């Protein structure tokens, strides 16, 4: 190379036979876990990997029940870390026990005679659990013998067979590998909700979870009763066929709410069966009355659909969206099958139950009147939102969106809703521009409780937020998987947080019910020790050069612990607002270790009653409650000084 051109020769990287590797199936799972279970996570979200592991194990037991082999399953989670599942089905054939849990593409489900409408058909599920577990045990009780095998990170440790008088069935124990699932924990409410979903789809099945009995006597009808947060306007319509079950009603709420299942699998992102239901329920009701628009018919609907499909095709290994278009290979289309069932059964029901039909029509007319009243406002608002140029005024967008169905990182997409230029500025400078967007509010948003949806279009902040999320027509086009409310940790910040959540509860409740809304947890304190120097001024533990040991604390308990760990004379900063946190520091709070608190709803949360109490005009009632429950701590010496 010529020195005149200042070209530095590059060292050639060696590439020979030693660079070629052949991985076993389980080694590949450990190397690329996302291909098999989606994201890893720590268990804070129902979509995290540890719940996929539990589901893969439990699905096998459910398949036994579906084949009429065993009607009870026992599940226990020890210390929120270790899981055991015992069913009383046929037991894994013992001659192939090791292969069944350790060799990919080995499964009884490839034989459609044994498992006609199974949840998992690709022979991967339980192998992924084995590979991704610190310890994995499988025991098959069958025909008077028990075979027991133990694995560690997918490697066989022991294998024994001996006589047994225990009931036939399979026992599996697994402990996720903490090297992969950092700081993981199974959350009791997430596990129970998952198991309860199974009972809705399998009437007659009893699940014992940590000593608690879970069962359902009325299937999807029970599901809606348990999940609805507003009163039904009429008794739940519950209809069943050979391979289909539906349940629906209307409630005094905006939006549409759907729960869908395939072969017992909860398809949280819907799919072809849910789309078919939405289309045909609106068409059937429209044809019954001879008028009305689909949108007016579906406003306020709460519904569930479950179908059984031979050899279902899902859009990913996590099986949360159905991609199949046919009920069976070379069989009837799912759209036609669902449509024919709804057309016949729902139409018959409405003709027989005229009182219910009258209530449904009343709800439709109410939605129609409101839509027409908003018509002019809606058109102007859409034009205003378009002219506002969201990308410059309110929204700092990201590159990858939740609606990008083919993008592997779409689940990571999120939007931070902030208030004020300083807070949005800190997040904007710190964010991952690929997956993190920022929407900046101007001041406190309007209290939307008791208002009609017309305010969404009349209020500029709400109109632009709705446009940024792209949820005007429902969640099918939602642009971000996580909608994160990021406000200051003070009284004003809490008020803004409540106003934003009220807006979602009032007009887009499914956004919360589907688990998309979170609150960002940011540290209240930074504790540093001036006197504890790090040798040679190496990188300190907050990632910056200097001579301070630093701890970020999210509570008083963490602050006290940090003071004890760092020694005397600490420097303590109380963060009063997001804008006070430098962009460099903020990067650590919204990175891989981000702390989020999910906003959730359950059957005990009656939305309208909650909103009426906390956001209504009963100011004196709330004031008296605060006075009656105010706790004043005794004066005590301060153990620190703020910076």
């Amino acid at each position: 190379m010529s020195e005149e051109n200042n070209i530095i020769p590059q060292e050639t990287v060696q590439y020979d036979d030693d660079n070629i590797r052949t991985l076993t199936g389980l080694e590949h799972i450990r190397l690329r876990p996302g291909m098999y279970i989606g994201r890893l996570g720590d268990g804070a979200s129902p979509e995290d990997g540890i719940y996929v592991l539990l589901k893969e194990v439990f699905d096998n037991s459910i398949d036994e029940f579906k084949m009429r082999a065993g009607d009870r399953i026992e599940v226990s989670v020890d210390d929120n870390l270790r899981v055991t599942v015992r069913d009383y089905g046929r037991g894994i054939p013992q001659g192939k026990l090791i292969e069944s849990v350790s060799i990919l593409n080995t499964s009884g489900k490839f034989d459609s005679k044994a498992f006609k409408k199974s949840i998992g058909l690709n022979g991967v599920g339980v192998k992924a659990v084995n590979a991704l577990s610190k310890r994995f045990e499988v025991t098959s009780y069958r025909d008077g013998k028990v075979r027991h095998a133990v694995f560690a990170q997918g490697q066989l440790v022991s294998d024994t067979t001996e006589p047994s008088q225990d009931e036939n069935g399979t026992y599996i124990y697994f402990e996720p590998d903490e090297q992969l699932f950092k700081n993981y924990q199974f959350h009791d409410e997430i596990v129970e909700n998952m198991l309860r979903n199974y009972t809705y789809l399998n009437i007659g099945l009893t699940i014992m979870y940590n000593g608690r009995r879970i069962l359902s006597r009325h299937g999807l009808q029970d599901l809606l009763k348990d999940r609805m947060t507003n009163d039904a306007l009429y008794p739940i319509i519950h209809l069943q066929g050979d391979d289909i079950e539906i349940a629906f009603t209307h409630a005094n709420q905006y939006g549409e709410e759907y729960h869908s299942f395939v072969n017992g699998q909860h398809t949280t992102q819907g799919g072809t069966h849910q789309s078919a239901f939405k289309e045909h329920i609106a068409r059937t009701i429209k044809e019954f009355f001879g008028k009305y628009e689909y949108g007016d018919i579906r406003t306020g609907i709460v519904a569930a659909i479950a179908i059984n499909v031979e050899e279902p095709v899902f859009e990913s290994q996590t099986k949360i969206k159905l991609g199949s278009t046919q009920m069976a290979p070379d069989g009837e289309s799912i759209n036609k099958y669902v449509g024919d069932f709804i057309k016949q059964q729902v139409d018959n029901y409405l003709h027989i139950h005229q009182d219910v039909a009258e209530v449904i029509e009343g709800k439709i007319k109410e939605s129609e009147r409101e839509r027409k009243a908003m018509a002019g406002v809606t058109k102007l608002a859409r034009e205003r939102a378009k002219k506002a140029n969201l990308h410059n005024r309110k929204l700092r967008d990201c590159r990858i969106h939740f609606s990008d169905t083919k993008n592997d990182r779409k689940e990571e997409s999120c939007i931070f809703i902030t208030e004020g230029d300083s807070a949005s500025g800190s997040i904007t400078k710190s964010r991952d521009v690929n997956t993190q967007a920022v929407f900046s509010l101007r001041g406190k948003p309007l209290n939307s409780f008791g208002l009609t949806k017309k305010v969404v279009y009349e209020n500029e902040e709400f109109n632009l937020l709705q446009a940024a999320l792209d949820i005007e027509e429902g969640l099918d086009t939602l642009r971000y998987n996580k909608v994160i409310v990021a406000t200051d940790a003070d009284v004003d910040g809490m008020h803004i947080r409540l106003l934003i959540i009220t807006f979602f509860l009032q007009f887009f409740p499914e956004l919360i019910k589907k688990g998309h809304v979170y609150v960002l947890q940011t540290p209240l304190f930074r504790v540093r020790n001036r006197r504890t120097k790090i040798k040679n001024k190496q990188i300190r533990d907050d990632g910056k050069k200097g001579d301070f040991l630093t701890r970020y604390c999210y509570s008083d308990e963490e602050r006290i612990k940090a003071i004890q760990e760092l020694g005397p004379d600490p420097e303590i900063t109380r963060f009063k607002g997001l804008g006070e946190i430098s962009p460099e520091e903020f990067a650590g709070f919204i990175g891989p270790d981000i702390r989020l608190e999910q906003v959730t709803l359950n059957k005990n949360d009656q939305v309208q009653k909650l909103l009426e109490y906390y956001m209504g005009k009963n100011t004196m009632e709330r004031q008296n409650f605060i006075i009656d429950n105010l706790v004043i701590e005794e004066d005590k010496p301060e153990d620190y000084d703020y910076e």
Side-chain angles (χ1 to χ4, degrees):
M1 293 292 179
S2 172
E3 292 183 2
E4 296 178 359
N5 297 327
N6 295 319
I7 297 176
I8 301 174
Q10 299 294 315
E11 181 180 352
T12 302
V13 177
Q14 183 177 349
Y15 178 60
D16 54 27
D17 291 348
D18 293 336
N19 295 106
I20 306 299
R21 296 178 60 196
T22 301
L23 299 177
T24 68
L26 298 197
E27 286 175 334
H28 189 266
I29 293 174
R30 288 188 62 82
L31 184 65
R32 298 285 186 268
M35 292 178 59
Y36 299 90
I37 64 166
R39 67 188 185 210
L40 293 173
D42 62 3
S45 168
E47 306 297 337
D48 285 348
I50 59 171
Y51 301 112
V52 178
L53 301 186
L54 172 56
K55 182 182 72 64
E56 294 291 358
V57 172
F58 203 82
D59 284 350
N60 292 334
S61 297
I62 289 295
D63 286 335
E64 288 296 296
F65 171 79
K66 285 181 174 294
M67 298 302 293
R68 297 188 175 93
D71 60 2
R72 74 185 193 277
I73 304 172
E74 297 163 358
V75 183
S76 64
V77 180
D78 184 26
D79 293 333
N80 300 319
L81 299 174
R82 297 170 291 277
V83 176
T84 60
V85 177
R86 169 68 155 105
D87 68 42
Y88 296 87
R90 294 164 293 183
I92 300 173
Q94 293 179 355
K96 293 288 186 179
L97 181 67
I98 302 300
E99 293 88 340
S100 295
V101 300
S102 63
I103 299 179
L104 296 188
N105 304 317
T106 303
S107 174
K109 297 173 188 177
F110 293 127
D111 180 359
S112 62
K113 294 178 182 178
F115 294 93
K116 290 184 178 180
K117 292 162 184 173
S118 171
I119 298 170
L121 290 169
N122 53 17
V124 173
V126 78
K127 288 79 163 177
V129 184
N130 186 355
L132 301 177
S133 292
K134 176 181 179 181
R135 182 180 177 88
F136 176 89
E137 300 179 22
V138 58
T139 305
S140 172
Y141 302 93
R142 190 176 172 113
D143 302 328
K145 292 191 298 182
V146 55
R147 186 175 182 185
H148 176 71
V150 178
F151 295 79
Q153 296 179 330
Q155 301 299 312
L156 182 63
V157 174
S158 66
D159 176 17
T160 60
T161 302
E162 58 187 34
S164 172
Q165 298 301 315
D166 289 330
E167 288 185 66
N168 284 359
T170 301
Y171 167 95
I172 285 181
Y173 166 95
F174 71 93
E175 183 177 351
D177 191 341
E178 68 273 10
Q179 295 179 24
L180 300 171
F181 304 94
K182 305 291 185 182
N183 302 313
Y184 79 88
Q185 270 196 334
F186 286 93
H187 290 249
D188 182 76
E189 64 278 7
I190 295 178
V191 174
E192 181 170 343
N193 182 63
M194 177 194 299
L195 299 180
R196 200 168 290 281
N197 278 339
Y198 282 106
T199 64
Y200 297 135
L201 277 298
N202 297 279
I203 297 175
L205 172 67
T206 297
I207 298 175
M208 294 300 298
Y209 169 52
N210 284 352
R212 303 196 296 271
R213 185 186 304 273
I214 304 174
L215 54 84
S216 170
R217 302 187 188 282
H218 305 290
L220 294 185
Q221 182 178 341
D222 289 340
L223 182 148
L224 292 193
K225 286 182 178 178
D226 288 346
R227 299 293 167 80
M228 290 183 66
T229 55
N230 287 293
D231 293 336
L233 296 180
Y234 52 87
I236 294 170
I237 298 174
H238 184 207
L239 304 168
Q240 293 176 275
D242 290 338
D243 284 309
I244 185 171
E245 178 183 1
I246 67 171
F248 71 93
T249 185
H250 282 79
N252 275 325
Q253 63 186 45
Y254 290 99
E256 306 167 31
E257 183 178 336
Y258 300 99
H259 307 269
S260 62
F261 303 83
V262 175
N263 296 7
Q265 165 65 30
H266 188 194
T267 43
T268 56
Q269 291 184 19
T272 52
H273 58 319
Q274 182 171 304
S275 298
F277 176 87
K278 292 174 62 176
E279 173 190 345
H280 291 288
I281 195 71
R283 176 176 296 169
T284 298
I285 293 175
K286 178 178 181 176
E287 290 176 356
F288 176 82
F289 291 115
K291 53 184 175 179
Y292 304 125
E293 293 191 6
Y294 285 179
D296 297 329
I297 292 170
R298 291 198 299 249
T299 295
I301 195 170
V302 184
I305 177 173
I307 65 172
N308 292 320
V309 177
E310 284 192 31
E311 300 186 21
V313 176
F314 297 93
E315 292 195 358
S316 69
Q317 169 62 16
T318 52
K319 308 184 184 84
I320 55 178
K321 187 172 184 179
L322 180 67
S324 298
T325 58
Q326 295 176 315
M327 293 296 292
D330 302 322
E332 185 177 15
S333 75
I334 288 175
N335 187 280
K336 184 177 186 304
Y337 180 81
V338 172
D340 288 348
F341 177 81
I342 290 176
K343 169 63 179 174
Q344 180 180 6
Q345 297 299 322
V346 174
D347 186 72
N348 287 347
Y349 186 95
L350 295 178
H351 275 95
I352 295 170
H353 300 85
Q354 290 291 329
D355 54 337
V356 172
E358 290 176 7
V359 177
I360 292 176
E361 186 170 27
K363 172 61 177 173
I364 295 172
K365 288 181 177 179
E366 179 185 314
S367 299
E368 182 183 58
R369 284 193 297 269
E370 185 169 340
R371 175 180 55 80
K372 289 181 177 179
M374 292 194 306
V377 176
T378 302
K379 183 178 180 181
L380 291 174
R382 287 172 180 159
E383 293 175 355
R384 191 168 67 245
K386 186 176 181 180
K387 292 179 180 178
N389 191 350
L390 285 174
H391 291 275
N392 291 329
R393 287 193 56 192
K394 309 292 293 184
L395 176 68
R396 278 80 170 178
D397 206 358
C398 54
R399 297 189 179 106
I400 299 171
H401 299 108
F402 190 51
S403 50
D404 299 339
T405 55
K406 301 300 182 182
N407 197 301
D408 292 339
R409 298 187 65 192
K410 72 186 188 75
E411 298 281 343
E412 300 175 40
S413 63
C414 65
I415 183 170
F416 295 96
I417 302 176
T418 68
E419 187 275 323
D421 294 336
S422 58
S424 62
S426 292
I427 297 181
T428 299
K429 293 175 183 177
S430 311
R431 68 187 176 124
D432 178 347
V433 295
N434 289 308
T435 59
Q436 295 178 325
V438 182
F439 183 90
S440 179
L441 294 168
R442 186 180 67 247
K444 289 186 178 181
L446 178 70
N447 181 358
S448 59
F449 173 67
L451 304 179
T452 68
K453 202 170 185 179
K454 185 178 180 181
V455 74
V456 177
Y457 299 95
E458 292 178 329
N459 182 277
E460 183 180 32
E461 299 291 310
F462 290 159
N463 182 33
L464 296 180
L465 178 57
Q466 174 185 255
L469 298 177
D470 197 11
I471 53 177
E472 182 179 10
E473 302 298 332
L475 299 192
D476 289 344
T477 53
L478 177 64
R479 300 180 78 231
Y480 312 97
N481 185 32
K482 289 187 175 72
V483 179
I484 303 171
V485 182
T487 59
D488 293 342
D490 58 15
V491 174
D492 283 339
M494 178 64 73
H495 190 206
I496 294 171
R497 182 186 305 176
L498 290 174
L499 291 169
I500 296 172
I501 293 174
T502 297
F503 168 69
F504 290 140
L505 284 173
Q506 184 77 357
F507 302 116
F508 305 101
E510 196 178 7
L511 195 66
I512 292 177
K513 291 181 179 180
K514 290 293 186 182
H516 293 291
V517 180
Y518 296 79
V519 173
L520 176 66
Q521 301 296 309
T522 52
L524 298 175
F525 306 95
R526 180 181 62 207
V527 180
R528 302 196 299 189
N529 194 307
R530 296 186 181 93
R531 296 180 180 178
T532 305
K533 294 187 177 181
I534 300 177
K535 186 178 180 180
N536 298 326
K537 292 189 177 181
Q538 296 294 316
I539 300 297
R540 65 193 191 204
D541 63 355
D542 62 351
K544 304 298 177 183
K545 291 182 178 179
D547 57 359
F548 291 103
L549 282 171
T550 307
R551 296 285 187 273
Y552 293 101
C553 309
Y554 292 75
S555 66
D556 277 321
E557 290 75 15
E558 291 187 19
R559 171 184 60 80
I560 294 170
K561 182 179 180 181
I563 292 172
Q564 294 170 345
E565 290 178 348
L566 298 184
D569 194 22
E571 170 197 282
I572 301 175
T573 301
R574 170 67 161 93
F575 294 121
K576 298 179 181 178
L578 301 184
E580 295 180 356
I581 305 175
S582 69
E584 292 75 20
E585 287 179 295
F586 224 122
F589 309 142
I590 62 174
D593 296 326
I594 188 172
R595 294 198 190 186
L596 297 175
E597 182 178 353
Q598 190 174 40
V599 180
T600 60
L601 285 173
N602 59 51
K603 63 181 180 180
N604 296 320
D605 296 325
Q606 292 295 311
V607 173
Q608 289 304 312
K609 293 178 181 178
L610 279 172
L611 292 178
E612 184 175 355
Y613 182 81
Y614 289 105
M615 307 304 293
K617 297 181 179 180
N618 54 326
T619 307
M620 287 304 300
E621 184 180 2
R622 291 196 300 269
Q623 178 177 311
N624 291 334
F625 176 84
I626 293 171
I627 293 173
D628 293 341
N629 293 274
L630 184 64
V631 176
I632 302 176
E633 294 187 11
E634 295 289 334
D635 291 336
K636 57 184 179 181
E638 291 288 342
D639 58 354
Y640 64 91
D641 293 320
Y642 290 134
E643 182 184 49

